[in-house]
Amino acid sequence: MYTLFNPRLCVTSLFDIDLEELRQQGIKGIIFDLDNTIIPWDSADMCPKITSWLHDLVVQDFKVAIVSNNWNKRVKLIADRFNLPFVSRAYKPAKRGFHQALAAMGLQAADAAVIGDQLFTDVLGGNRMGMYTIWVKPLTTHEFIGTRVHRKLENIVIRILKEKGLMK
Ligand SMILES: [Mg+2]
C-alpha cells in the first residue's frame, strides 16, 4: 500500500524535470498542483522563471491543466493567466478533479503526469489514477496549517519508503 505514496520521480525544482524524457515515457499532458508547486502558498506572484517554463511547456505541445484543493477564485486567477483548464476544491487525493482535468485536456490517465509538492494529495491521487507522478520540493515552507500536519505524516511515509528501498 505504501507504493501508492511512492512518486515515479522526485525533483528539487521544476527545472530539473527532463521534458524530453517525459515525452519518451509517452506523457502528452501535465496536471499541476498550484500551491507551493508553481506558486508560493497564498501568494499571487509567480516567479518569472516558472512563468516562462510553463509557457515553454505549452509551446512544446504539452497539454497543461491545474488541479488544486484551494478555492475557486485563487485558482482561476492563476489558470486564466495562462488560459489553462483548472479544477479547484478538488479534494485530492480524490480522483474526480483529475478525471475532469484529463477530460479537459482530451487525454487518458496513462498519457498524463501529475506534478505536486504533497505525497498525500498530489502523488497519492496521481498514483491512484495510474498517472506518472512527480514529487517536487515545496516552493516555500510557509503553508496551510492542515498541510503542516500532513508534512509530519509525510516524513513518516518517506522514512518507510526509504527503509523498504522504494525511494532513494
Ligand atoms: Mg501544493
Side-chain angles (χ1 to χ4, degrees), residues 33-168:
D33 168 52
L34 183 72
D35 290 292
N36 274 344
T37 295
I38 56 174
I39 192 161
W41 178 70
D42 237 12
S43 159
D45 302 317
M46 190 177 288
C47 130
K49 206 174 155 194
I50 293 182
T51 307
S52 71
W53 187 80
L54 286 175
H55 276 300
D56 271 3
L57 279 182
V58 178
V59 170
Q60 289 185 42
D61 260 355
F62 281 99
K63 298 257 171 54
V64 179
I66 295 174
V67 174
S68 170
N69 284 352
N70 210 321
W71 300 86
N72 182 65
K73 213 172 139 189
R74 173 173 160 68
V75 184
K76 183 173 172 19
L77 185 81
I78 312 294
D80 283 355
R81 262 191 230 170
F82 296 92
N83 206 14
L84 298 178
F86 71 94
V87 180
S88 54
R89 299 189 71 188
Y91 299 102
K92 291 176 286 183
K95 292 180 178 177
R96 184 187 57 102
F98 292 117
H99 279 302
Q100 287 175 350
L102 286 172
M105 296 192 295
L107 294 177
Q108 302 293 315
D111 305 325
V114 177
I115 303 182
D117 69 303
Q118 285 194 61
L119 287 187
F120 289 169
T121 56
D122 310 310
V123 173
L124 176 59
N127 283 342
R128 290 182 68 212
M129 291 290 297
M131 292 192 273
Y132 187 97
T133 47
I134 303 177
W135 188 39
V136 63
K137 197 172 178 291
L139 288 174
T140 66
T141 52
H142 178 60
E143 45 195 10
F144 177 61
I145 181 141
T147 307
R148 279 186 249 148
V149 176
H150 271 193
R151 292 291 180 205
K152 289 202 168 60
L153 298 171
E154 216 174 50
N155 286 334
I156 295 169
V157 172
I158 293 164
R159 208 177 61 219
I160 293 169
L161 286 173
K162 285 186 174 168
E163 275 169 13
K164 290 180 182 290
L166 291 166
M167 189 190 275
K168 281 164 217 130

